[in-house]
Structure formats: C-alpha cells, structure tokens
C-alpha cells in the first residue's frame, strides 16, 4: 500500500494503477480512527473494483466552532496497518494545507435534503462534507465510492450532489456495522466512559422497539415520543431528534406509504451519538 500526501503523487500513482491492468478504482472516504465499520466499507469496495483508495482526512470545515475537531481521534499508523492488511492500494492522507491551500474560497451547498435533522443541529456541516467529498472525487476520479449508512443523511446528501453535478461515480451505501449489543460502530464511541458505553445500548434498543411498533401500525407521534422518553431515561440528553422521515427526501412523515427511516441524534455525556433504522412501508 502506498501512503500518499500530495496531489501530484496521488495522480501519478492512480495513473499507474489505471494503466497497469484492471483499472476500476473504488474510493472509501474516512476521517480515520478506523473500526470494523470502515473495514466493511473497504471489503465492499474490493468486491466492486480492482484497486481501493482510502482517504483519511479530518476535515475542519465540517466541524462547528464548539465541536470536537481537536479531540477527534487520530491514529494514522494503526489505521495504515489495518488498511495494508485489508489490501488497500493507496492511503490518501493529505494535510489541511494540501486540501485547503491559502486563499481557498469555494464551497458546495446542497439544498433540500441538508435542511432537517443534522442540518438543523449542525449549521454548515453538510457544506463542509459536500465540498471535501467533491474534492476527493475530483482528486481520485473513482468509479465507485462507498459510504456507511450510519451517516444516513450524509449518504443522501452525497447522492444528491453526485446526481445534481453529474459526477461520474456510483455511490454505494453500506449497512451500519454494529457491536454485538447493537450499538452502531463509530470513531466517537471512543469518547464514552465505561458506564456511558453500558447505557449507550438503550439507543439502538429504543429505536428497534419503535421500528417494530411503527411497522405494526401504531400511531407515529406516540411511538416517537415514547422512544425519546426511553432514551432520556437511559441518561441521554439533550435528544436532538427522534424522527421518522422519507427514506429518500428525509422529509418528516407520519404514515408508511413509502419506505421510511427512523433517525436519532442524542448526547450521552460529552458524546453525541447518531443512528438510524429502515422502516418498511406498510402499503
Ligand atoms: O463520514 C466521514 O467520515 C466524513 O464525513 C467524510 C465522508 C469522510 C467527509 O469528511
């Protein structure tokens, strides 16, 4: 695996890979602190391409002023060893100066799907995500790019951007990897104390219970309120949202005429956790 830090070397290495037999390239964008969720993206990428490029870049523009940019876990040597063992071809790990050179003044804003949920609670977050992902697509020129469904709204935003800007890349969503007790794997789980980690399991448990009740035809407002109460009782707070939304547009829905998604964001101590689950259409 090649560890590359500048765009000129990246282009050279990609040219060699593309011309060296079997040219399909997959990109797995990450912010590092890799866990088994990321590795499932790399494995899914290997099934779809001849060469896998993984990027590690903790992108400052997607963090708000009071968020965890400085605390975000950074463990590049450990990540590189995992990727090497998994057979990635390139680890693309640029510096902030390489990605945002002096005078950088461009931002990509995706409308609609960015407005609710994370967009309402993290102003500017999706502009940062869309801008960096668009740059990564332009730098790597992947045939396919893979993103975890754990960040479900992010996946919807990237699909919208790729469609709207005619970006020649297939966007693939990969199901959320979970610990045995059901907690979604996340680099931010590292912030949880032992006691918080024990209580965190109530988040997916409350969501699964809510999904079952919604699919059984119970009235949505009541189910959402009870899921929120169960999460709060476990010690989460504030709960930013427990929302039932259309699976594509992410607009709130209260009936299941189309496939929907149940999404949650809540803070446990200083850690903000998000999760989401598919809800079947009952029509
Ligand atoms: O999901 C992430 O890790 C990040 O938001 C991404 C897609 C790598 C962009 O910085």
């Amino acid at each position: 695996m090649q560890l590359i830090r500048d765009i000129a070397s990246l282009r050279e290495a990609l040219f060699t890979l593309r011309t060296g037999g079997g040219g399909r390239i997959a990109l797995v964008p990450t912010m590092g602190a890799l866990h088994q969720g990321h590795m499932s993206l790399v494995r899914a990428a290997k099934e779809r391409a001849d060469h896998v490029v993984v990027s590690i870049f903790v992108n400052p523009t997607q963090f708000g002023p009071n968020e965890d940019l400085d605390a975000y876990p950074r463990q590049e040597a450990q990540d590189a060893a995992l990727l090497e063992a998994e057979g990635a071809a390139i680890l693309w790990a640029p510096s902030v100066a390489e990605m945002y050179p002096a005078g950088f003044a461009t931002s990509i804003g995706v409308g609609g799907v960015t407005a609710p949920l994370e967009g309402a609670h993290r102003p500017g977050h999706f502009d940062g995500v869309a801008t960096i992902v668009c740059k990564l697509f332009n730098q790597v020129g992947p045939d396919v790019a893979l993103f975890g469904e754990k960040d479900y709204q992010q996946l919807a935003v990237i699909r919208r951007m790729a469609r709207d800007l005619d970006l020649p890349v297939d966007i693939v969503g990969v199901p959320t990897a979970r610990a045995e007790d059901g907690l979604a794997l996340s680099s931010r789980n590292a912030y949880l104390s032992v006691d918080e980690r024990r209580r965190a399991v109530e988040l997916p448990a409350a969501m699964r219970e809510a999904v079952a009740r919604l699919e059984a035809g119970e009235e949505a407002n009541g189910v959402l309120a009870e899921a929120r109460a169960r999460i709060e009782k476990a010690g989460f707070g504030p709960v930013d949202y427990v929302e039932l939304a259309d699976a594509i547009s992410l607009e709130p829905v209260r009936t299941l005429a189309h496939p929907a998604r149940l999404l949650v964001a809540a803070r446990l101590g200083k850690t903000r956790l998000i999760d989401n689950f598919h809800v079947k259409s009952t029509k």
Side-chain angles (χ1 to χ4, degrees), residues 179-215:
E180 260 177 35
D181 63 5
L183 184 67
L185 299 187
S186 163
S187 306
R188 289 189 167 103
N189 292 353
Y191 301 153
L192 296 170
S193 69
V194 172
D195 178 53
E196 286 167 347
R197 175 63 187 82
R198 191 179 46 74
R199 284 185 285 133
V201 69
E202 274 296 292
L203 190 77
M207 296 290 276
R208 278 193 204 283
E209 183 193 346
V211 170
R213 291 173 60 183
L214 290 165
E215 289 180 348

PDB file of all heavy atoms in Angstrom, residues 179-215:
ATOM      1  N   ALA A 179     -21.825  -3.286  17.153  1.00  0.00           N
ATOM      2  CA  ALA A 179     -21.259  -4.153  18.188  1.00  0.00           C
ATOM      3  C   ALA A 179     -22.292  -5.234  18.492  1.00  0.00           C
ATOM      4  O   ALA A 179     -23.458  -5.109  18.132  1.00  0.00           O
ATOM      5  CB  ALA A 179     -20.969  -3.324  19.436  1.00  0.00           C
ATOM      6  N   GLU A 180     -21.858  -6.289  19.197  1.00  0.00           N
ATOM      7  CA  GLU A 180     -22.773  -7.409  19.497  1.00  0.00           C
ATOM      8  C   GLU A 180     -24.029  -6.956  20.215  1.00  0.00           C
ATOM      9  O   GLU A 180     -25.103  -7.511  20.003  1.00  0.00           O
ATOM     10  CB  GLU A 180     -22.058  -8.450  20.346  1.00  0.00           C
ATOM     11  CG  GLU A 180     -21.577  -9.616  19.504  1.00  0.00           C
ATOM     12  CD  GLU A 180     -20.803 -10.634  20.302  1.00  0.00           C
ATOM     13  OE1 GLU A 180     -21.135 -10.859  21.478  1.00  0.00           O
ATOM     14  OE2 GLU A 180     -19.843 -11.183  19.724  1.00  0.00           O
ATOM     15  N   ASP A 181     -23.910  -5.921  21.059  1.00  0.00           N
ATOM     16  CA  ASP A 181     -25.095  -5.465  21.794  1.00  0.00           C
ATOM     17  C   ASP A 181     -25.933  -4.477  20.991  1.00  0.00           C
ATOM     18  O   ASP A 181     -26.920  -3.942  21.493  1.00  0.00           O
ATOM     19  CB  ASP A 181     -24.683  -4.853  23.146  1.00  0.00           C
ATOM     20  CG  ASP A 181     -23.809  -3.598  22.984  1.00  0.00           C
ATOM     21  OD1 ASP A 181     -23.609  -3.147  21.839  1.00  0.00           O
ATOM     22  OD2 ASP A 181     -23.348  -3.061  24.005  1.00  0.00           O
ATOM     23  N   GLY A 182     -25.559  -4.204  19.747  1.00  0.00           N
ATOM     24  CA  GLY A 182     -26.404  -3.400  18.863  1.00  0.00           C
ATOM     25  C   GLY A 182     -25.939  -1.972  18.654  1.00  0.00           C
ATOM     26  O   GLY A 182     -26.435  -1.281  17.754  1.00  0.00           O
ATOM     27  N   LEU A 183     -24.986  -1.484  19.460  1.00  0.00           N
ATOM     28  CA  LEU A 183     -24.544  -0.088  19.280  1.00  0.00           C
ATOM     29  C   LEU A 183     -23.817   0.050  17.935  1.00  0.00           C
ATOM     30  O   LEU A 183     -22.942  -0.755  17.608  1.00  0.00           O
ATOM     31  CB  LEU A 183     -23.604   0.324  20.428  1.00  0.00           C
ATOM     32  CG  LEU A 183     -23.167   1.797  20.377  1.00  0.00           C
ATOM     33  CD1 LEU A 183     -24.343   2.734  20.633  1.00  0.00           C
ATOM     34  CD2 LEU A 183     -22.042   2.084  21.372  1.00  0.00           C
ATOM     35  N   ALA A 184     -24.190   1.074  17.168  1.00  0.00           N
ATOM     36  CA  ALA A 184     -23.529   1.317  15.879  1.00  0.00           C
ATOM     37  C   ALA A 184     -22.057   1.654  16.120  1.00  0.00           C
ATOM     38  O   ALA A 184     -21.740   2.453  17.012  1.00  0.00           O
ATOM     39  CB  ALA A 184     -24.229   2.466  15.167  1.00  0.00           C
ATOM     40  N   LEU A 185     -21.153   1.058  15.338  1.00  0.00           N
ATOM     41  CA  LEU A 185     -19.737   1.380  15.488  1.00  0.00           C
ATOM     42  C   LEU A 185     -19.501   2.815  15.015  1.00  0.00           C
ATOM     43  O   LEU A 185     -20.053   3.239  13.998  1.00  0.00           O
ATOM     44  CB  LEU A 185     -18.872   0.410  14.678  1.00  0.00           C
ATOM     45  CG  LEU A 185     -18.982  -1.065  15.060  1.00  0.00           C
ATOM     46  CD1 LEU A 185     -17.950  -1.899  14.297  1.00  0.00           C
ATOM     47  CD2 LEU A 185     -18.804  -1.273  16.559  1.00  0.00           C
ATOM     48  N   SER A 186     -18.702   3.537  15.770  1.00  0.00           N
ATOM     49  CA  SER A 186     -18.397   4.928  15.435  1.00  0.00           C
ATOM     50  C   SER A 186     -17.064   5.281  16.069  1.00  0.00           C
ATOM     51  O   SER A 186     -16.775   4.845  17.200  1.00  0.00           O
ATOM     52  CB  SER A 186     -19.494   5.842  15.997  1.00  0.00           C
ATOM     53  OG  SER A 186     -19.036   7.186  16.029  1.00  0.00           O
ATOM     54  N   SER A 187     -16.274   6.087  15.374  1.00  0.00           N
ATOM     55  CA  SER A 187     -14.998   6.521  15.953  1.00  0.00           C
ATOM     56  C   SER A 187     -15.258   7.291  17.247  1.00  0.00           C
ATOM     57  O   SER A 187     -14.429   7.296  18.153  1.00  0.00           O
ATOM     58  CB  SER A 187     -14.241   7.412  14.968  1.00  0.00           C
ATOM     59  OG  SER A 187     -14.120   6.741  13.734  1.00  0.00           O
ATOM     60  N   ARG A 188     -16.419   7.951  17.345  1.00  0.00           N
ATOM     61  CA  ARG A 188     -16.729   8.763  18.535  1.00  0.00           C
ATOM     62  C   ARG A 188     -17.104   7.903  19.745  1.00  0.00           C
ATOM     63  O   ARG A 188     -17.151   8.417  20.855  1.00  0.00           O
ATOM     64  CB  ARG A 188     -17.840   9.764  18.219  1.00  0.00           C
ATOM     65  CG  ARG A 188     -17.367  10.883  17.284  1.00  0.00           C
ATOM     66  CD  ARG A 188     -18.398  11.996  17.138  1.00  0.00           C
ATOM     67  NE  ARG A 188     -17.829  13.164  16.503  1.00  0.00           N
ATOM     68  CZ  ARG A 188     -18.031  13.515  15.232  1.00  0.00           C
ATOM     69  NH1 ARG A 188     -18.788  12.769  14.443  1.00  0.00           N
ATOM     70  NH2 ARG A 188     -17.470  14.612  14.740  1.00  0.00           N
ATOM     71  N   ASN A 189     -17.361   6.590  19.549  1.00  0.00           N
ATOM     72  CA  ASN A 189     -17.646   5.736  20.718  1.00  0.00           C
ATOM     73  C   ASN A 189     -16.454   5.720  21.668  1.00  0.00           C
ATOM     74  O   ASN A 189     -16.608   5.421  22.849  1.00  0.00           O
ATOM     75  CB  ASN A 189     -17.970   4.296  20.283  1.00  0.00           C
ATOM     76  CG  ASN A 189     -19.299   4.204  19.541  1.00  0.00           C
ATOM     77  OD1 ASN A 189     -20.032   5.188  19.461  1.00  0.00           O
ATOM     78  ND2 ASN A 189     -19.601   3.046  18.987  1.00  0.00           N
ATOM     79  N   ALA A 190     -15.266   6.046  21.147  1.00  0.00           N
ATOM     80  CA  ALA A 190     -14.059   6.077  21.988  1.00  0.00           C
ATOM     81  C   ALA A 190     -14.182   7.118  23.101  1.00  0.00           C
ATOM     82  O   ALA A 190     -13.478   7.041  24.103  1.00  0.00           O
ATOM     83  CB  ALA A 190     -12.838   6.389  21.125  1.00  0.00           C
ATOM     84  N   TYR A 191     -15.070   8.112  22.936  1.00  0.00           N
ATOM     85  CA  TYR A 191     -15.234   9.145  23.974  1.00  0.00           C
ATOM     86  C   TYR A 191     -16.034   8.629  25.176  1.00  0.00           C
ATOM     87  O   TYR A 191     -16.053   9.272  26.217  1.00  0.00           O
ATOM     88  CB  TYR A 191     -16.003  10.360  23.435  1.00  0.00           C
ATOM     89  CG  TYR A 191     -15.420  11.086  22.245  1.00  0.00           C
ATOM     90  CD1 TYR A 191     -16.254  11.768  21.380  1.00  0.00           C
ATOM     91  CD2 TYR A 191     -14.054  11.119  21.994  1.00  0.00           C
ATOM     92  CE1 TYR A 191     -15.756  12.473  20.290  1.00  0.00           C
ATOM     93  CE2 TYR A 191     -13.544  11.803  20.911  1.00  0.00           C
ATOM     94  CZ  TYR A 191     -14.400  12.479  20.059  1.00  0.00           C
ATOM     95  OH  TYR A 191     -13.908  13.169  18.990  1.00  0.00           O
ATOM     96  N   LEU A 192     -16.777   7.514  24.999  1.00  0.00           N
ATOM     97  CA  LEU A 192     -17.709   7.065  26.048  1.00  0.00           C
ATOM     98  C   LEU A 192     -16.956   6.469  27.234  1.00  0.00           C
ATOM     99  O   LEU A 192     -16.018   5.682  27.045  1.00  0.00           O
ATOM    100  CB  LEU A 192     -18.662   5.994  25.481  1.00  0.00           C
ATOM    101  CG  LEU A 192     -19.620   6.437  24.367  1.00  0.00           C
ATOM    102  CD1 LEU A 192     -20.311   5.216  23.750  1.00  0.00           C
ATOM    103  CD2 LEU A 192     -20.662   7.416  24.898  1.00  0.00           C
ATOM    104  N   SER A 193     -17.379   6.811  28.452  1.00  0.00           N
ATOM    105  CA  SER A 193     -16.824   6.152  29.643  1.00  0.00           C
ATOM    106  C   SER A 193     -17.405   4.736  29.690  1.00  0.00           C
ATOM    107  O   SER A 193     -18.353   4.407  28.957  1.00  0.00           O
ATOM    108  CB  SER A 193     -17.238   6.922  30.900  1.00  0.00           C
ATOM    109  OG  SER A 193     -18.631   6.772  31.102  1.00  0.00           O
ATOM    110  N   VAL A 194     -16.878   3.913  30.601  1.00  0.00           N
ATOM    111  CA  VAL A 194     -17.373   2.532  30.709  1.00  0.00           C
ATOM    112  C   VAL A 194     -18.873   2.541  31.031  1.00  0.00           C
ATOM    113  O   VAL A 194     -19.670   1.809  30.430  1.00  0.00           O
ATOM    114  CB  VAL A 194     -16.578   1.768  31.796  1.00  0.00           C
ATOM    115  CG1 VAL A 194     -17.191   0.397  32.060  1.00  0.00           C
ATOM    116  CG2 VAL A 194     -15.113   1.640  31.376  1.00  0.00           C
ATOM    117  N   ASP A 195     -19.266   3.420  31.948  1.00  0.00           N
ATOM    118  CA  ASP A 195     -20.680   3.481  32.335  1.00  0.00           C
ATOM    119  C   ASP A 195     -21.543   3.981  31.160  1.00  0.00           C
ATOM    120  O   ASP A 195     -22.628   3.452  30.901  1.00  0.00           O
ATOM    121  CB  ASP A 195     -20.824   4.419  33.546  1.00  0.00           C
ATOM    122  CG  ASP A 195     -22.279   4.537  33.952  1.00  0.00           C
ATOM    123  OD1 ASP A 195     -22.911   3.492  34.167  1.00  0.00           O
ATOM    124  OD2 ASP A 195     -22.796   5.673  34.025  1.00  0.00           O
ATOM    125  N   GLU A 196     -21.049   4.993  30.442  1.00  0.00           N
ATOM    126  CA  GLU A 196     -21.823   5.505  29.292  1.00  0.00           C
ATOM    127  C   GLU A 196     -21.942   4.426  28.208  1.00  0.00           C
ATOM    128  O   GLU A 196     -22.994   4.269  27.587  1.00  0.00           O
ATOM    129  CB  GLU A 196     -21.137   6.747  28.726  1.00  0.00           C
ATOM    130  CG  GLU A 196     -21.299   7.983  29.601  1.00  0.00           C
ATOM    131  CD  GLU A 196     -20.363   9.118  29.211  1.00  0.00           C
ATOM    132  OE1 GLU A 196     -19.412   8.896  28.417  1.00  0.00           O
ATOM    133  OE2 GLU A 196     -20.565  10.230  29.731  1.00  0.00           O
ATOM    134  N   ARG A 197     -20.851   3.700  27.988  1.00  0.00           N
ATOM    135  CA  ARG A 197     -20.895   2.651  26.945  1.00  0.00           C
ATOM    136  C   ARG A 197     -21.967   1.611  27.293  1.00  0.00           C
ATOM    137  O   ARG A 197     -22.666   1.106  26.411  1.00  0.00           O
ATOM    138  CB  ARG A 197     -19.505   1.998  26.802  1.00  0.00           C
ATOM    139  CG  ARG A 197     -19.466   0.807  25.840  1.00  0.00           C
ATOM    140  CD  ARG A 197     -19.813   1.220  24.417  1.00  0.00           C
ATOM    141  NE  ARG A 197     -19.952   0.089  23.510  1.00  0.00           N
ATOM    142  CZ  ARG A 197     -21.060  -0.655  23.412  1.00  0.00           C
ATOM    143  NH1 ARG A 197     -22.126  -0.379  24.157  1.00  0.00           N
ATOM    144  NH2 ARG A 197     -21.108  -1.632  22.545  1.00  0.00           N
ATOM    145  N   ARG A 198     -22.102   1.314  28.606  1.00  0.00           N
ATOM    146  CA  ARG A 198     -23.109   0.338  29.053  1.00  0.00           C
ATOM    147  C   ARG A 198     -24.520   0.894  28.775  1.00  0.00           C
ATOM    148  O   ARG A 198     -25.390   0.188  28.302  1.00  0.00           O
ATOM    149  CB  ARG A 198     -22.894   0.085  30.545  1.00  0.00           C
ATOM    150  CG  ARG A 198     -23.658  -1.088  31.130  1.00  0.00           C
ATOM    151  CD  ARG A 198     -23.370  -1.283  32.615  1.00  0.00           C
ATOM    152  NE  ARG A 198     -23.409  -0.056  33.407  1.00  0.00           N
ATOM    153  CZ  ARG A 198     -24.518   0.587  33.752  1.00  0.00           C
ATOM    154  NH1 ARG A 198     -25.690   0.130  33.400  1.00  0.00           N
ATOM    155  NH2 ARG A 198     -24.461   1.705  34.461  1.00  0.00           N
ATOM    156  N   ARG A 199     -24.697   2.194  29.036  1.00  0.00           N
ATOM    157  CA  ARG A 199     -26.036   2.783  28.862  1.00  0.00           C
ATOM    158  C   ARG A 199     -26.352   3.075  27.390  1.00  0.00           C
ATOM    159  O   ARG A 199     -27.515   3.158  27.005  1.00  0.00           O
ATOM    160  CB  ARG A 199     -26.154   4.059  29.694  1.00  0.00           C
ATOM    161  CG  ARG A 199     -26.350   3.721  31.179  1.00  0.00           C
ATOM    162  CD  ARG A 199     -26.587   4.931  32.036  1.00  0.00           C
ATOM    163  NE  ARG A 199     -25.365   5.688  32.266  1.00  0.00           N
ATOM    164  CZ  ARG A 199     -25.251   6.996  32.140  1.00  0.00           C
ATOM    165  NH1 ARG A 199     -26.284   7.721  31.772  1.00  0.00           N
ATOM    166  NH2 ARG A 199     -24.107   7.603  32.372  1.00  0.00           N
ATOM    167  N   ALA A 200     -25.307   3.227  26.574  1.00  0.00           N
ATOM    168  CA  ALA A 200     -25.496   3.610  25.162  1.00  0.00           C
ATOM    169  C   ALA A 200     -26.353   2.612  24.396  1.00  0.00           C
ATOM    170  O   ALA A 200     -27.034   2.963  23.422  1.00  0.00           O
ATOM    171  CB  ALA A 200     -24.135   3.746  24.469  1.00  0.00           C
ATOM    172  N   VAL A 201     -26.363   1.375  24.850  1.00  0.00           N
ATOM    173  CA  VAL A 201     -27.097   0.318  24.155  1.00  0.00           C
ATOM    174  C   VAL A 201     -28.611   0.593  24.123  1.00  0.00           C
ATOM    175  O   VAL A 201     -29.334   0.075  23.264  1.00  0.00           O
ATOM    176  CB  VAL A 201     -26.754  -1.044  24.808  1.00  0.00           C
ATOM    177  CG1 VAL A 201     -27.343  -1.144  26.204  1.00  0.00           C
ATOM    178  CG2 VAL A 201     -27.204  -2.185  23.960  1.00  0.00           C
ATOM    179  N   GLU A 202     -29.082   1.452  25.049  1.00  0.00           N
ATOM    180  CA  GLU A 202     -30.513   1.795  25.054  1.00  0.00           C
ATOM    181  C   GLU A 202     -30.916   2.559  23.782  1.00  0.00           C
ATOM    182  O   GLU A 202     -32.083   2.547  23.411  1.00  0.00           O
ATOM    183  CB  GLU A 202     -30.852   2.652  26.277  1.00  0.00           C
ATOM    184  CG  GLU A 202     -31.157   1.857  27.524  1.00  0.00           C
ATOM    185  CD  GLU A 202     -32.414   0.993  27.381  1.00  0.00           C
ATOM    186  OE1 GLU A 202     -33.521   1.546  27.292  1.00  0.00           O
ATOM    187  OE2 GLU A 202     -32.281  -0.241  27.353  1.00  0.00           O
ATOM    188  N   LEU A 203     -29.953   3.211  23.153  1.00  0.00           N
ATOM    189  CA  LEU A 203     -30.295   3.990  21.944  1.00  0.00           C
ATOM    190  C   LEU A 203     -30.785   3.068  20.813  1.00  0.00           C
ATOM    191  O   LEU A 203     -31.930   3.204  20.366  1.00  0.00           O
ATOM    192  CB  LEU A 203     -29.087   4.831  21.505  1.00  0.00           C
ATOM    193  CG  LEU A 203     -29.367   5.864  20.432  1.00  0.00           C
ATOM    194  CD1 LEU A 203     -30.063   7.083  21.001  1.00  0.00           C
ATOM    195  CD2 LEU A 203     -28.069   6.307  19.769  1.00  0.00           C
ATOM    196  N   PRO A 204     -29.960   2.089  20.375  1.00  0.00           N
ATOM    197  CA  PRO A 204     -30.478   1.190  19.339  1.00  0.00           C
ATOM    198  C   PRO A 204     -31.643   0.337  19.821  1.00  0.00           C
ATOM    199  O   PRO A 204     -32.550   0.016  19.036  1.00  0.00           O
ATOM    200  CB  PRO A 204     -29.270   0.313  18.965  1.00  0.00           C
ATOM    201  CG  PRO A 204     -28.318   0.430  20.105  1.00  0.00           C
ATOM    202  CD  PRO A 204     -28.533   1.806  20.680  1.00  0.00           C
ATOM    203  N   ALA A 205     -31.672   0.009  21.120  1.00  0.00           N
ATOM    204  CA  ALA A 205     -32.777  -0.825  21.623  1.00  0.00           C
ATOM    205  C   ALA A 205     -34.099  -0.066  21.520  1.00  0.00           C
ATOM    206  O   ALA A 205     -35.112  -0.615  21.065  1.00  0.00           O
ATOM    207  CB  ALA A 205     -32.503  -1.245  23.067  1.00  0.00           C
ATOM    208  N   ALA A 206     -34.088   1.218  21.903  1.00  0.00           N
ATOM    209  CA  ALA A 206     -35.314   2.027  21.821  1.00  0.00           C
ATOM    210  C   ALA A 206     -35.737   2.193  20.361  1.00  0.00           C
ATOM    211  O   ALA A 206     -36.933   2.185  20.042  1.00  0.00           O
ATOM    212  CB  ALA A 206     -35.068   3.389  22.460  1.00  0.00           C
ATOM    213  N   MET A 207     -34.752   2.340  19.482  1.00  0.00           N
ATOM    214  CA  MET A 207     -35.068   2.526  18.054  1.00  0.00           C
ATOM    215  C   MET A 207     -35.676   1.246  17.459  1.00  0.00           C
ATOM    216  O   MET A 207     -36.652   1.297  16.716  1.00  0.00           O
ATOM    217  CB  MET A 207     -33.792   2.897  17.295  1.00  0.00           C
ATOM    218  CG  MET A 207     -33.201   4.216  17.723  1.00  0.00           C
ATOM    219  SD  MET A 207     -34.216   5.599  17.210  1.00  0.00           S
ATOM    220  CE  MET A 207     -33.618   5.784  15.548  1.00  0.00           C
ATOM    221  N   ARG A 208     -35.099   0.102  17.808  1.00  0.00           N
ATOM    222  CA  ARG A 208     -35.623  -1.169  17.262  1.00  0.00           C
ATOM    223  C   ARG A 208     -37.055  -1.401  17.743  1.00  0.00           C
ATOM    224  O   ARG A 208     -37.911  -1.848  16.989  1.00  0.00           O
ATOM    225  CB  ARG A 208     -34.738  -2.335  17.706  1.00  0.00           C
ATOM    226  CG  ARG A 208     -33.495  -2.497  16.850  1.00  0.00           C
ATOM    227  CD  ARG A 208     -32.843  -3.847  17.147  1.00  0.00           C
ATOM    228  NE  ARG A 208     -31.431  -3.864  16.821  1.00  0.00           N
ATOM    229  CZ  ARG A 208     -30.942  -3.969  15.591  1.00  0.00           C
ATOM    230  NH1 ARG A 208     -31.767  -4.028  14.566  1.00  0.00           N
ATOM    231  NH2 ARG A 208     -29.646  -3.983  15.388  1.00  0.00           N
ATOM    232  N   GLU A 209     -37.285  -1.075  19.010  1.00  0.00           N
ATOM    233  CA  GLU A 209     -38.650  -1.234  19.546  1.00  0.00           C
ATOM    234  C   GLU A 209     -39.612  -0.313  18.779  1.00  0.00           C
ATOM    235  O   GLU A 209     -40.703  -0.715  18.382  1.00  0.00           O
ATOM    236  CB  GLU A 209     -38.661  -0.885  21.044  1.00  0.00           C
ATOM    237  CG  GLU A 209     -40.022  -1.107  21.675  1.00  0.00           C
ATOM    238  CD  GLU A 209     -40.164  -0.473  23.062  1.00  0.00           C
ATOM    239  OE1 GLU A 209     -39.145  -0.079  23.674  1.00  0.00           O
ATOM    240  OE2 GLU A 209     -41.319  -0.368  23.514  1.00  0.00           O
ATOM    241  N   ALA A 210     -39.173   0.913  18.532  1.00  0.00           N
ATOM    242  CA  ALA A 210     -40.025   1.872  17.811  1.00  0.00           C
ATOM    243  C   ALA A 210     -40.300   1.390  16.388  1.00  0.00           C
ATOM    244  O   ALA A 210     -41.436   1.486  15.898  1.00  0.00           O
ATOM    245  CB  ALA A 210     -39.353   3.246  17.794  1.00  0.00           C
ATOM    246  N   VAL A 211     -39.278   0.843  15.725  1.00  0.00           N
ATOM    247  CA  VAL A 211     -39.476   0.345  14.350  1.00  0.00           C
ATOM    248  C   VAL A 211     -40.546  -0.744  14.351  1.00  0.00           C
ATOM    249  O   VAL A 211     -41.470  -0.743  13.529  1.00  0.00           O
ATOM    250  CB  VAL A 211     -38.151  -0.207  13.756  1.00  0.00           C
ATOM    251  CG1 VAL A 211     -38.411  -0.943  12.448  1.00  0.00           C
ATOM    252  CG2 VAL A 211     -37.142   0.920  13.537  1.00  0.00           C
ATOM    253  N   ALA A 212     -40.444  -1.677  15.304  1.00  0.00           N
ATOM    254  CA  ALA A 212     -41.408  -2.792  15.350  1.00  0.00           C
ATOM    255  C   ALA A 212     -42.823  -2.255  15.553  1.00  0.00           C
ATOM    256  O   ALA A 212     -43.776  -2.713  14.909  1.00  0.00           O
ATOM    257  CB  ALA A 212     -41.020  -3.753  16.467  1.00  0.00           C
ATOM    258  N   ARG A 213     -42.966  -1.246  16.441  1.00  0.00           N
ATOM    259  CA  ARG A 213     -44.306  -0.718  16.706  1.00  0.00           C
ATOM    260  C   ARG A 213     -44.849   0.063  15.517  1.00  0.00           C
ATOM    261  O   ARG A 213     -46.037  -0.017  15.183  1.00  0.00           O
ATOM    262  CB  ARG A 213     -44.254   0.159  17.962  1.00  0.00           C
ATOM    263  CG  ARG A 213     -44.003  -0.688  19.209  1.00  0.00           C
ATOM    264  CD  ARG A 213     -43.789   0.152  20.440  1.00  0.00           C
ATOM    265  NE  ARG A 213     -44.956   0.993  20.724  1.00  0.00           N
ATOM    266  CZ  ARG A 213     -44.996   1.874  21.718  1.00  0.00           C
ATOM    267  NH1 ARG A 213     -43.959   2.026  22.524  1.00  0.00           N
ATOM    268  NH2 ARG A 213     -46.062   2.605  21.918  1.00  0.00           N
ATOM    269  N   LEU A 214     -43.974   0.800  14.822  1.00  0.00           N
ATOM    270  CA  LEU A 214     -44.418   1.542  13.625  1.00  0.00           C
ATOM    271  C   LEU A 214     -44.866   0.566  12.537  1.00  0.00           C
ATOM    272  O   LEU A 214     -45.902   0.756  11.901  1.00  0.00           O
ATOM    273  CB  LEU A 214     -43.273   2.424  13.098  1.00  0.00           C
ATOM    274  CG  LEU A 214     -42.895   3.627  13.964  1.00  0.00           C
ATOM    275  CD1 LEU A 214     -41.540   4.190  13.544  1.00  0.00           C
ATOM    276  CD2 LEU A 214     -43.983   4.710  13.866  1.00  0.00           C
ATOM    277  N   GLU A 215     -44.048  -0.476  12.350  1.00  0.00           N
ATOM    278  CA  GLU A 215     -44.378  -1.441  11.293  1.00  0.00           C
ATOM    279  C   GLU A 215     -45.644  -2.229  11.636  1.00  0.00           C
ATOM    280  O   GLU A 215     -46.320  -2.745  10.748  1.00  0.00           O
ATOM    281  CB  GLU A 215     -43.187  -2.377  11.033  1.00  0.00           C
ATOM    282  CG  GLU A 215     -42.034  -1.630  10.340  1.00  0.00           C
ATOM    283  CD  GLU A 215     -40.814  -2.500  10.060  1.00  0.00           C
ATOM    284  OE1 GLU A 215     -40.738  -3.619  10.593  1.00  0.00           O
ATOM    285  OE2 GLU A 215     -39.929  -2.034   9.297  1.00  0.00           O
TER     286      GLU A 215
END
